[in-house]
Amino acid sequence: MSERAAPFYCPYCGDEDLRPNEQGHGAWECAACNRAFQLKFLGLLARGLQPDPSGGEPI
């Protein structure tokens, strides 16, 4: 069994005072802004990682 991944901050107000919500897996509530939200992993993209053909970062 794997551990549940926890968000580091609220996506609405940015506060870090988060607690698991009663709604189930992936549901969180923020004590600062009194909002509840749910996170869901959709999957990996089919295209994967694309290498940079130029070989470096633009200046």
Side-chain angles (χ1 to χ4, degrees):
M1 183 159 170
S2 64
E3 290 290 322
R4 169 185 359 202
F8 295 110
Y9 56 89
C10 174
Y12 297 100
C13 72
D15 199 84
E16 297 176 358
D17 190 7
L18 302 176
R19 297 182 178 107
N21 187 277
E22 299 173 355
Q23 294 297 319
H25 183 71
W28 295 88
E29 56 188 50
C30 177
C33 69
N34 204 31
R35 289 186 170 108
F37 58 93
Q38 188 168 14
L39 303 176
K40 183 177 179 182
F41 177 70
L42 299 177
L44 298 174
L45 299 175
R47 67 177 184 256
L49 297 175
Q50 300 292 324
D52 184 7
S54 66
E57 294 182 14
I59 297 177

